[in-house]
Amino acid sequence: MDPIDGSKPLCFYLLGAGGMGMAPFARYISDQGHRVYGWDDFISEERKQRLSFIHWQNTIPPHCDLCVCSSAIDPKHPLRMAAQRVCPVYLRGMLIAKLLHSQRLCVVSGSHGKSTTVAYLIHFFHRSHLPLNYLSGAEFQSDAYAVGCGKYKDAWTVLELDESDGTIEAFSPAVSVILNTDWDHPRHYPTKESYQKMFAALAVRTQECVISKEVFQPSPMKQLAIPAAKTLLEENISAASAAFHYLTGKTVTANDVQSFPGVKRRQEVLLQTQRFKVVSDYAHHPSELQALWQYLGVGKNNVSVVFEPHRASRLKCFLHEFVRALKRCSQVYVHPLYEAFEAADCNEKSLLAALPNGRPFGQLNVSDWVSQEQPCTLAFVGAGKIDAYARRWVEQWIHAVVSFFSSRGLAVKTHVSLQNVSMMGIGGSALFAYEPKEVRDLQKVLKGCLQVGLEVYVLGKGSNVLIPETRWDGMVIFLRQPFWTQCEFLREEEVEKIEKNDNDAIDTFETEGIGDPQFGLPRYVRVGAGMLLPAFLDRMEAEGVGGFSLLEGIPGTLGGALVMNAGMGTNGICDCVQQVTWMDREGNLHEVSRKNLQYGYRSCETLRDGIVLSAVLRGRNATTDRVQQERMEVREKREHTQPKGKSLGCFFKNPETCSAGKCIEESGLKGARVGDALISPQHANFLMNMGAARFADVVQLVQQVRSTVHEKTGIWLEPEVRVLGRSWEDIL
Ligand SMILES: Cc1cc2nc3c(=O)[nH]c(=O)nc-3n(C[C@H](O)[C@H](O)[C@H](O)COP(=O)(O)OP(=O)(O)OC[C@H]3O[C@@H](n4cnc5c(N)ncnc54)[C@H](O)[C@@H]3O)c2cc1C
């Protein structure tokens, strides 16, 4: 009797279970309640752990009902032969066809772009909270979704349908998306016509609808056209959107497309500094290379490639097309051929011989790529082992950069988590981070960053910075060492000098009403950029110096406060400044006096691109009791109006005519929520992380607030909060 009659849970043994063909299938059957055992000769411990729903063992389990082999398993593999003695053995494709024949099945097929299209479809279903069973063809970046899902009864099942081994012929789905029919797999389909015939036959077997830009003969039951697009990626998105609409009746939005988390090995950016980008891509056919070049801007940009040819039969059949595509890159490092169990009568040497810009792979030296004068991209391309190599290469590059800095006496850290650095409690990591000990040290690290092409970002207390969950490939600077948190009153002669040079500033100080006029004479204090404002205020209170109550309750550092001109209402800390010492990105020191400091509401133009080192602030003589009382009043007011918890304070700047909080409240948005991101019911300009909010949740809530407030009031609110490595213009 056929064990696959759906009546009882089965015991499966999967051979080659770690590959991208098998892992989604394993997840699918595991979700359906079957027991899944498996083995893979080439799997890492880390991947085994990620696929922990498979019981890994290199023996056939007792009571095994079925063995399933990936097409990469040799027919003489000892485990395959052992399985044949105790149970039926299937090729993966054949078994999937059998298992899914009674399901509402939508397949995505074609020569290029299947995995990306399937991934977009999965993402669109998730965004719409609609159930979907699926077997994807690639892993999502940052593990956004599982590789497979078989949890839902009566839902659509979406499957990436592989045509390479002929098992496609066993499928008669309800819906087929046929992306393109560029001849490939010449070993199995010896002519272009035989390849195209195979897709035409699938179209005929399709029971409800074919979605394709090709026209098939004989005509399928029903055909929908994929709207034309400029690039392969756009074409994949169009195909996924058309399929989503057909399967659900719903339309995909721009937000659905923008929020796509990306798939591994598909234009996947493994490293992105200011001048150097490393990309991994699965392209292994000349048309895919050309599509990738379009994405990378080959011809316009400096792009070099590390190419691993995949299968001798493909290389031999399309050698001229490969050469034509690869010749367009600056340099090509040719990796040894990935044989994929074929006899290799054509290999990388044939390609190298024909490529004027070709070099053997062994010449790819990581130290040659540490510092770049001009922007350049290095793409690791192929369907074999090249991706794993690319990831190792990036780690080697990171070590080479660390050595570059350590040879200059700078102990730079790598992969530093930023989640707890932002007071929002959201954040990925910084590729590099450094805590300079003093000014000279900071200068050295800035110069090094210029040479390597690393962007620099100074983080204070993180009380006004939203941090994406991805890795940021720059250098984060923390001014935490004791040098940066000093606080000292100016000596008499320094005060005299200041007062001599700055009579008008004193007059302005008198007339602006900063602090309480009952306070006495000015007191000047030099404060390091890394000093926390609450600590500074405590110190001033102890010394009986007033005039800083506008900073009460602001959790940031002095540096962050100056850059943001933090304060209360329209007053900000820049009003209390006498002088600021700052450094530009080249490491040059600058001093700016109060007279020349340009600042406005929650911003300081002069310091926009600078790094604040210290500032002289001016307070006034008072008594500790008086200062304490003033601070208490502000604190009490805050406690009544502001919520406690993870936030970045007021999220939006006040528009000229009203308060942002009032606009949001009057637009009915108090309590609005996306995931764990919430508009505080207490103060509508506070966007809270209630536990596990994600960067994308916050962005979605910000979009919702902006569009609703605009609809109701005609005002576009501008975020006050900054985003590490990105601008709001790009995000919104
Ligand atoms: C509960 C709460 C209440 C708040 N209340 C107020 C308030 O009443 N008024 C107000 O104005 N703000 C308020 N904020 C926002 C925030 O505290 C201020 O903007 C603060 O000054 C930011 O300082 P930071 O050290 O945390 O800077 P970060 O958040 O770390 O950085 C903010 C910006 O400053 C830059 N930066 C930091 N240090 C330096 C440096 N040394 N040199 C150059 N650039 C630097 C960063 O690169 C970033 O662009 C509040 C925040 C919270 C969480």
Side-chain angles (χ1 to χ4, degrees):
M1 205 182 79
D2 188 347
I4 318 163
D5 62 0
S7 58
K8 66 174 175 84
L10 301 175
C11 174
F12 284 79
Y13 188 58
L14 310 185
L15 268 175
M20 264 326 289
M22 289 291 251
F25 172 66
R27 181 64 195 244
Y28 177 89
I29 52 176
S30 162
D31 282 351
Q32 299 234 316
H34 300 294
R35 272 178 301 141
V36 186
Y37 293 80
W39 186 248
D40 195 312
D41 290 334
F42 303 101
I43 189 165
S44 65
E45 278 309 313
E46 186 250 331
R47 186 151 173 78
K48 265 191 198 168
Q49 271 163 23
R50 283 150 61 91
L51 303 175
S52 57
F53 48 89
I54 301 176
H55 305 281
W56 295 96
Q57 60 179 51
N58 63 353
T59 50
I60 315 292
H63 316 298
C64 180
D65 294 303
L66 282 168
C67 172
V68 190
C69 294
S70 99
S71 51
I73 297 292
D74 192 310
K76 296 212 175 69
H77 192 289
L79 281 170
R80 185 172 181 163
M81 292 178 43
Q84 269 161 1
R85 288 194 283 275
V86 293
C87 64
V89 175
Y90 282 91
L91 262 183
R92 181 194 72 108
M94 297 306 280
L95 187 75
I96 292 177
K98 224 168 148 49
L99 267 179
L100 299 185
H101 86 277
S102 58
Q103 306 287 320
R104 298 164 76 203
L105 181 63
C106 167
V107 299
V108 177
S109 66
S111 354
H112 328 294
K114 296 186 282 286
S115 302
T116 305
T117 308
V118 167
Y120 269 100
L121 248 177
I122 294 167
H123 174 64
F124 295 156
F125 270 83
H126 269 269
R127 292 264 307 174
S128 303
H129 306 288
L130 293 169
L132 178 74
N133 297 317
Y134 61 85
L135 287 88
S136 67
E139 282 173 278
F140 284 89
Q141 286 177 28
S142 33
D143 297 323
Y145 308 119
V147 286
C149 174
K151 282 192 282 201
Y152 302 106
K153 251 186 132 198
D154 303 326
W156 279 101
T157 297
V158 166
L159 164 74
E160 171 172 340
L161 187 53
D162 177 31
E163 80 283 15
S164 66
D165 60 2
T167 52
I168 190 171
E169 281 156 32
F171 287 83
S172 302
V175 179
S176 294
V177 181
I178 304 178
L179 296 165
N180 32 52
T181 61
D182 265 349
W183 182 27
D184 196 6
H185 306 293
R187 191 157 168 249
H188 204 90
Y189 306 97
T191 62
K192 192 172 167 183
E193 290 68 32
S194 60
Y195 187 73
Q196 290 174 342
K197 227 167 124 186
M198 168 269 298
F199 283 117
L202 172 69
V204 168
R205 289 197 306 279
T206 301
Q207 291 161 32
E208 275 185 34
C209 179
V210 171
I211 300 172
S212 183
K213 61 176 186 177
E214 314 270 335
V215 177
F216 295 101
Q217 285 303 332
S219 312
M221 187 81 80
K222 177 178 174 191
Q223 176 157 354
L224 293 176
I226 299 174
K230 281 202 218 102
T231 64
L232 179 61
L233 178 64
E234 285 169 6
E235 203 171 283
N236 296 161
I237 298 170
S238 285
S241 309
F244 181 69
H245 187 255
Y246 181 82
L247 302 180
T248 65
K250 289 183 179 286
T251 306
V252 165
T253 66
N255 267 346
D256 293 335
V257 175
Q258 268 161 24
S259 56
F260 181 63
V263 241
K264 288 190 179 161
R265 301 186 75 173
R266 306 301 186 282
Q267 295 130 26
E268 187 184 5
V269 178
L270 301 184
L271 180 80
Q272 168 90 74
T273 72
Q274 258 177 344
R275 292 199 292 266
F276 187 35
K277 180 165 164 177
V278 178
V279 174
S280 171
D281 196 275
Y282 197 67
H284 52 285
H285 183 281
S287 309
E288 291 167 350
L289 294 186
Q290 298 288 11
L292 179 64
W293 295 174
Q294 194 179 7
Y295 169 79
L296 297 175
V298 169
K300 293 196 298 274
N301 304 332
N302 179 2
V303 179
S304 292
V305 62
V306 186
F307 180 61
E308 180 188 37
H310 186 258
R311 290 184 191 269
S313 56
R314 183 184 284 117
L315 182 62
K316 194 171 171 186
C317 183
F318 303 119
L319 186 65
H320 295 302
E321 286 88 338
F322 276 122
V323 170
R324 200 174 324 133
L326 290 165
K327 259 179 17 187
R328 296 179 54 209
C329 299
S330 305
Q331 284 171 29
V332 183
Y333 297 87
V334 182
H335 188 278
L337 173 84
Y338 186 80
E339 292 177 7
F341 310 100
E342 280 185 9
D345 53 348
C346 175
N347 63 21
E348 67 282 359
K349 294 199 182 91
S350 326
L351 193 55
L352 262 175
L355 272 177
N357 53 346
R359 293 166 172 222
F361 175 67
Q363 289 184 12
L364 179 67
N365 195 343
V366 83
S367 56
D368 297 342
W369 298 82
V370 168
S371 55
Q372 322 291 330
E373 302 218 324
Q374 298 297 324
C376 70
T377 298
L378 183 62
F380 290 79
V381 180
K385 291 188 195 145
I386 193 76
D387 176 65
Y389 180 80
R391 287 167 203 276
R392 283 201 303 277
W393 193 88
V394 168
E395 285 304 317
Q396 285 166 14
W397 183 89
I398 294 166
H399 282 128
V401 172
V402 170
S403 307
F404 168 92
F405 281 106
S406 73
S407 68
R408 286 155 179 77
L410 305 163
V412 162
K413 289 194 180 134
T414 62
H415 303 286
V416 174
S417 169
L418 299 178
Q419 187 182 358
N420 296 324
V421 170
S422 165
M423 288 185 70
M424 196 69 180
I426 299 175
S429 62
L431 185 52
F432 301 108
Y434 186 64
E435 293 190 16
K437 287 184 243 9
E438 34 66 39
V439 177
R440 180 93 190 86
D441 215 22
L442 177 63
Q443 261 167 339
K444 277 206 278 182
V445 81
L446 290 180
K447 287 191 173 146
C449 288
L450 271 186
Q451 224 173 312
V452 176
L454 295 177
E455 201 181 323
V456 171
Y457 200 91
V458 185
L459 273 173
K461 179 73 179 155
S463 62
N464 222 20
V465 182
L466 186 63
I467 305 184
E469 277 128 349
T470 43
R471 189 186 74 194
W472 182 69
D473 291 348
M475 175 78 73
V476 163
I477 301 281
F478 294 109
L479 301 179
R480 289 171 175 161
Q481 295 288 327
F483 176 84
W484 306 103
T485 57
Q486 296 177 65
C487 176
E488 57 187 16
F489 286 95
L490 295 200
R491 295 189 309 273
E492 222 166 276
E493 59 274 22
E494 287 179 292
V495 174
E496 270 170 27
K497 205 169 142 199
I498 280 181
E499 293 191 337
K500 212 157 102 203
N501 289 341
D502 204 9
N503 282 333
D504 21 330
I506 293 174
D507 295 343
T508 331
F509 185 70
E510 299 296 339
T511 50
E512 269 177 4
I514 305 301
D516 189 323
Q518 293 171 36
F519 288 162
L521 288 171
R523 293 286 305 274
Y524 297 93
V525 55
R526 181 173 285 112
V527 194
M531 183 160 209
L532 291 172
L533 296 180
F536 168 68
L537 293 185
D538 287 350
R539 173 84 194 276
M540 292 303 102
E541 181 184 308
E543 300 277 352
V545 177
F548 298 115
S549 61
L550 80 168
L551 303 178
E552 183 60 44
I554 304 179
T557 59
L558 176 89
L562 283 169
V563 169
M564 303 300 303
N565 190 19
M568 255 192 311
T570 49
N571 292 333
I573 188 172
C574 292
D575 296 325
C576 311
V577 158
Q578 188 59 42
Q579 190 182 63
V580 181
T581 307
W582 61 279
M583 192 177 271
D584 63 30
R585 304 283 154 155
E586 281 82 39
N588 305 307
L589 273 173
H590 302 265
E591 273 189 354
V592 55
S593 68
R594 168 188 171 81
K595 270 193 277 188
N596 298 323
L597 191 70
Q598 292 185 8
Y599 59 93
Y601 169 61
R602 299 295 165 266
S603 69
C604 180
E605 188 56 28
T606 311
L607 302 174
R608 203 180 53 177
D609 297 318
I611 298 174
V612 178
L613 308 188
S614 64
V616 176
L617 300 183
R618 184 168 45 182
R620 287 183 152 197
N621 260 338
T623 59
T624 295
D625 285 352
R626 181 71 189 86
V627 177
Q628 204 173 34
Q629 188 194 336
E630 198 188 35
R631 289 183 70 189
M632 183 92 80
E633 281 162 20
V634 180
R635 212 158 35 225
E636 273 174 9
K637 199 167 152 219
R638 274 185 182 268
E639 269 166 19
H640 281 111
T641 50
Q642 296 185 358
K644 291 204 165 58
K646 290 182 192 168
S647 83
L648 298 172
C650 284
F651 204 94
F652 296 95
K653 291 183 185 171
N654 289 328
E656 269 174 25
T657 48
C658 61
S659 103
K662 205 153 174 253
C663 289
I664 302 170
E665 183 174 348
E666 286 175 359
S667 302
L669 287 162
K670 267 190 168 177
R673 187 171 186 142
V674 175
D676 263 356
L678 173 87
I679 298 294
S680 162
Q682 194 179 345
H683 188 316
N685 201 8
F686 272 60
L687 210 156
M688 313 296 298
N689 174 3
M690 300 308 289
R694 310 210 42 143
F695 179 76
D697 300 333
V698 176
V699 169
Q700 205 179 321
L701 197 51
V702 168
Q703 284 166 333
Q704 191 183 327
V705 167
R706 274 170 48 89
S707 58
T708 313
V709 169
H710 182 254
E711 222 168 80
K712 300 256 159 94
T713 66
I715 295 170
W716 281 116
L717 291 178
E718 292 303 325
E720 173 188 318
V721 161
R722 309 252 175 120
V723 183
L724 170 67
R726 299 192 52 192
S727 71
W728 281 109
E729 288 83 68
D730 287 350
I731 297 169
L732 296 173

